[in-house]
Amino acid sequence: METKHWTSHDELNNQAIHEAAERLKQGETIAFPTETVYGLGADATNDHAVSQIFQAKGRPADNPLIAHVGSSDLIYDYVTDVSEDAEALINAFWPGPLTLILPAKSKLAENVTAGLTTVGFRMPDHPVALALLQAANIPVAAPSANRSGKPSPTAAGHVLHDLDGKIYGVLDGGMTGVGVESTVIDMTLDPPMILRPGGVTQTEIEAVIGPVNLAPSLQAEDDAPRSPGMKYKHYAPDCPIWIVNGGAERMKQVAHDLQQDGKRVGFMVSDERAIDLDQDHVYRLGSQKDLLAITRHLYDRLRQIDNSDYEIILAEAFPKDGIGEALMNRLEKAASETIE
Ligand code: TXA
Ligand code: MG
């Protein structure tokens, strides 16, 4: 199959959106930009359509998908209950990077929920995603549009790199904004539990509905042994990444020791740290003063590192405040070690 590439030139062109929405309804897979990362969409009520997502991504069948809607009203057809807290979160954060796990009706394709009795819903905050979802007017199952085991795509080029020839088309909306996946919160538990940190922070959620829990896997300290039971394979780069706590001097020292051993060492750091390091082999993430920008660039830099021939990448640690919580969650998952 030749993958259709609707370029940013006609991204908001009705014709492109209309055609993509029609193809979705006919059971094809379409990749589209959201404010977090690109998603690979298929009709969430069509088992066969959804199976093509799993096939294109090489995704394990027991990992459930998020259903996306262009209007919050649509979810009431597919869930048995929307609690007061869930309503409050919808009102506060949709459209936006927050996925709510709710009790599912059996009207969705079984492979969306992977046999669970719950389903994740979200309404993305991106003009192209919203136009597509509203034109299709169906729930659209959409995991991140990468091959399983690769970083989530933050540009259409990333999608094509991984999935060209395997999907019907991609709507190119340029770079995504948040750069890491949505916050996932299980609203079927009391109190609700954050399963994945993302663009909406715990503090922001608690300001609306009061205290929530963090999944136990998110509470593990830095130096706790990496749980092999983190059930689903997450992105692990070919080149090991070490997070180095401390300043530029410490990082230089670690690099020096590795270079003495003949290793080709690269760095993934802020602009400020890059200046202090004064080295050639640097992937810059953005200014320390702008954690949002650093988060937005993370997956692109990880993809660049995958194409490099460094033997070790030393990465800067960032404060876990606000979006830093999601940023460091993804960075720690990609890293094999944290050095004090
Ligand atoms: O920002 C995002 O959420 C992106 C964009 C495309 O919307 N999507 C995304 O999808 O990251 P995916 O499939 O890569 O991640 C979905 C996460 C997985 O960790 C999955 O296990 C969890 O949500 N999930 C989905 N349904 C669930 C459910 N019923 N119960 C618990 N976890 C669920
Ligand atoms: Mg994913």
Side-chain angles (χ1 to χ4, degrees), residues 280-294:
D280 291 332
H281 312 283
V282 176
Y283 295 90
R284 287 187 180 214
L285 289 163
S287 170
Q288 272 169 358
K289 297 190 200 86
D290 188 356
L291 272 194
L292 287 169
I294 290 193

Side-chain angles (χ1 to χ4, degrees), residues 266-325:
F267 303 87
M268 183 171 65
V269 296
S270 65
D271 295 344
E272 290 84 352
R273 174 67 58 86
I275 290 164
D276 290 345
L277 284 174
D278 194 22
Q279 301 260 343
D280 291 332
H281 312 283
V282 176
Y283 295 90
R284 287 187 180 214
L285 289 163
S287 170
Q288 272 169 358
K289 297 190 200 86
D290 188 356
L291 272 194
L292 287 169
I294 290 193
T295 306
R296 186 155 60 233
H297 295 137
L298 176 68
Y299 285 152
D300 176 73
R301 302 305 183 266
L302 290 175
R303 279 178 179 263
Q304 289 183 31
I305 286 166
D306 258 352
N307 291 327
S308 75
D309 63 355
Y310 291 113
E311 291 171 299
I312 278 200
I313 295 288
L314 301 182
E316 182 173 347
F318 297 97
K320 293 181 180 173
D321 307 327
I323 192 69
E325 200 184 324

Side-chain angles (χ1 to χ4, degrees), residues 32 34-40 57 59 62-66 68 97 99 101-102 112-113 116-120 122 124 142-146 152 180-184 186 195-196 232:
F32 59 95
T34 80
E35 81 283 35
T36 60
V37 300
Y38 276 73
L40 178 59
K57 282 184 58 95
R59 180 178 174 111
D62 63 348
N63 192 0
L65 306 180
I66 296 170
H68 295 64
T99 297
I101 306 295
L102 300 166
V112 172
T113 58
L116 298 175
T117 56
T118 55
V119 59
R122 100 174 181 96
S144 48
N146 52 284
S152 293
V180 297
E181 306 83 349
S182 63
T183 305
V184 177
D186 190 341
L195 303 181
R196 179 174 78 180
Y232 302 113

Side-chain angles (χ1 to χ4, degrees), residues 20-191:
E22 283 308 308
R23 292 299 176 178
L24 268 181
K25 287 196 279 187
Q26 289 163 12
E28 302 283 1
T29 50
I30 304 281
F32 59 95
T34 80
E35 81 283 35
T36 60
V37 300
Y38 276 73
L40 178 59
D43 179 352
T45 64
N46 177 337
D47 230 285
H48 177 69
V50 172
S51 72
Q52 294 185 64
I53 292 178
F54 286 91
Q55 213 175 354
K57 282 184 58 95
R59 180 178 174 111
D62 63 348
N63 192 0
L65 306 180
I66 296 170
H68 295 64
V69 290
S71 147
S72 57
D73 298 341
L74 205 58
I75 70 171
Y76 295 86
D77 289 344
Y78 300 96
V79 302
T80 56
D81 181 48
V82 181
S83 65
E84 249 174 64
D85 282 351
E87 294 252 15
L89 291 179
I90 288 171
N91 289 331
F93 300 113
W94 281 13
L98 180 66
T99 297
L100 304 180
I101 306 295
L102 300 166
K105 278 186 192 161
S106 55
K107 285 170 72 176
L108 291 164
E110 216 167 293
N111 45 5
V112 172
T113 58
L116 298 175
T117 56
T118 55
V119 59
F121 266 106
R122 100 174 181 96
M123 180 177 174
D125 188 13
H126 190 288
V128 174
L130 287 173
L132 176 70
L133 293 165
Q134 285 161 10
N137 198 33
I138 49 172
V140 172
S144 48
N146 52 284
R147 278 289 288 180
S148 219
K150 284 280 176 197
S152 293
T154 52
H158 299 160
V159 177
L160 288 168
H161 176 272
D162 286 9
L163 302 177
D164 195 10
K166 296 190 167 74
I167 61 178
Y168 185 86
V170 55
L171 287 161
D172 189 336
M175 249 188 91
T176 58
V178 179
V180 297
E181 306 83 349
S182 63
T183 305
V184 177
I185 183 164
D186 190 341
M187 299 306 295
T188 68
L189 301 173
D190 188 19

